[in-house]
Amino acid sequence: MKTLALEKVTVRFGTLYALSSASVSLEAGQVLMLVGPNGAGKTTLTRVLLGLVRPNAGVVRVDGEVCPINNKFKKSIGYLPEAVSFSDSLSGKQVLRFFARARGVSSKAVPGVLDRVGLKHAAGRSVRGYSKGMRQRLGLAVAIIGEPKLLILDEPTGGLDTEGLSVLWSILAEWREKKRMVFMASHQLAMLERRVDKMGVFLDGKLLACDSPAELRASVGLKQKAVLSLSEDSNDGVEEFVEAVEDWKHGIGKLVGNNLTVHLEEGKLLELMDIRARHPNAVKGIQTQEPTLDMIYERLLEIPA
């Protein structure tokens, strides 16, 4: 599986459109995150891909060809639902053995997968005694058993502690490195920002945008921020530097105490550095910040559809 695309998917329940002509795609080695308010259409699109909801219109394509959501396709999927639930009377090892058999995977793979998600020490323990985070990690183990080409994760960070998050991060990195795909829905934009390649933003069943964070940042016009720590010595040319920044037409500056915050137009950081170079003693330090995915998301929701 090198490419996956859901094209113009529409799902209607009576007169209510849960999805309206939504199209998203990803390539091998990519992580796609769907975001949006509750009821925006993320879960519905996920259910279409799982074969749980039949769309009124639209197709799924794999490697450019229309692909039915049949058993053959489902064998290439690993799924982690938002709320995992297992029989309390079974041990973690028994749960994973059950799902391994269901997927046609050798039981010999079970110990390694449990170790992979940090549950080797609790393999023989009843799930009744698992914490919420341990159950979530067991759900991850079920999702990755058999190393599926496509991982579908619904709110995968829920209930995970620091150790559990490290397991999730390593799995995302492994799937990217091995040229597999990850399709997930989450509200944790800040937490996942550095770990996704594309973000699809949904509102009221409509896909507002779907692209890389860099492209989305450029499309909404959010600016890069630079905070410059200025010298406290008036002889270092601080006033001249501030005046030069004010005269410059590609940034909006705000001086508070000894900190000058400049909101930069796209690609203008080097020009600001040239101004700094002409006043070498005026600036003692600089920090830059790109607009976060949270900021991009909020701006996209503000833009009229």
Side-chain angles (χ1 to χ4, degrees):
M1 188 185 299
K2 296 181 179 179
T3 63
L4 172 69
L6 293 92
E7 297 180 354
K8 298 183 178 180
V9 175
T10 296
V11 175
R12 188 179 68 251
F13 300 107
T15 59
L16 174 66
Y17 280 82
L19 281 174
S20 180
S21 194
S23 297
V24 299
S25 64
L26 68 164
E27 299 176 358
Q30 287 187 335
V31 177
L32 167 66
M33 177 168 65
L34 308 182
V35 300
N38 291 333
K42 308 183 303 295
T43 298
T44 301
L45 190 63
T46 299
R47 288 176 176 171
V48 168
L49 197 53
L50 291 168
L52 301 176
V53 171
R54 180 175 294 180
N56 299 93
V59 297
V60 175
R61 293 184 185 274
V62 173
D63 298 336
E65 300 294 331
V66 174
C67 178
I69 308 302
N70 53 23
N71 288 336
K72 180 181 178 181
F73 176 76
K74 291 177 182 179
K75 286 180 179 179
S76 65
I77 293 176
Y79 175 52
L80 174 69
E82 180 177 4
V84 295
S85 179
F86 304 111
S87 173
D88 283 348
S89 62
L90 297 178
S91 68
K93 181 167 60 177
Q94 288 172 325
V95 167
L96 197 53
R97 279 181 172 175
F98 170 81
F99 282 98
R101 285 197 300 271
R103 296 188 65 88
V105 177
S106 171
S107 61
K108 294 180 180 179
V110 168
V113 175
L114 286 171
D115 187 35
R116 180 75 178 81
V117 299
L119 290 178
K120 182 179 179 180
H121 68 288
R125 191 189 308 174
S126 169
V127 172
R128 183 181 294 107
Y130 279 25
S131 66
K132 182 177 180 181
M134 292 172 70
R135 289 171 185 251
Q136 187 79 347
R137 277 191 268 166
L138 183 57
L140 271 172
V142 170
I144 67 173
I145 193 77
E147 301 188 345
K149 297 176 181 178
L150 172 64
L151 268 183
I152 300 178
L153 310 175
D154 193 356
E155 297 294 345
T157 61
L160 293 178
D161 57 12
T162 302
E163 182 182 357
L165 288 172
S166 295
V167 169
L168 176 61
W169 305 154
S170 67
I171 288 172
L172 293 180
E174 179 183 345
W175 253 246
R176 293 170 87 176
E177 181 182 349
K178 293 184 176 179
K179 299 299 180 182
R180 301 169 187 159
M181 303 178 187
V182 180
F183 186 101
M184 68 177 166
S186 180
H187 289 98
Q188 300 297 330
L189 280 73
M191 191 178 290
L192 289 160
E193 179 165 358
R194 295 182 291 106
R195 297 174 172 90
V196 302
D197 300 287
K198 298 176 73 175
M199 181 171 79
V201 182
F202 284 82
L203 180 65
D204 296 332
K206 297 179 181 179
L207 180 65
L208 302 182
C210 186
D211 217 323
S212 69
E215 291 296 329
L216 291 175
R217 185 180 296 116
S219 71
V220 299
L222 289 175
K223 295 182 177 181
Q224 184 182 33
K225 182 170 74 173
V227 180
L228 301 101
S229 301
L230 305 180
S231 171
E232 298 180 6
D233 190 336
S234 59
N235 295 322
D236 285 340
V238 173
E239 290 186 10
E240 292 83 352
F241 173 75
V242 173
E243 289 176 0
V245 172
E246 290 175 347
D247 291 339
W248 183 52
K249 304 302 181 184
H250 299 290
I252 301 174
K254 182 178 181 180
L255 181 62
V256 178
N258 292 316
N259 290 327
L260 177 65
T261 299
V262 183
H263 295 276
L264 303 167
E265 292 184 5
E266 186 73 19
K268 296 300 180 180
L269 180 60
L270 289 178
E271 291 184 18
L272 179 61
M273 294 299 95
D274 287 340
I275 298 174
R276 178 191 181 188
R278 295 197 294 270
H279 304 82
N281 298 321
V283 181
K284 299 303 181 184
I286 182 170
Q287 292 182 332
T288 61
Q289 178 185 341
E290 297 286 347
T292 65
L293 285 187
D294 278 313
M295 296 165 65
I296 296 170
Y297 169 68
E298 291 171 4
R299 178 62 63 86
L300 283 168
L301 293 187
E302 293 171 358
I303 298 174

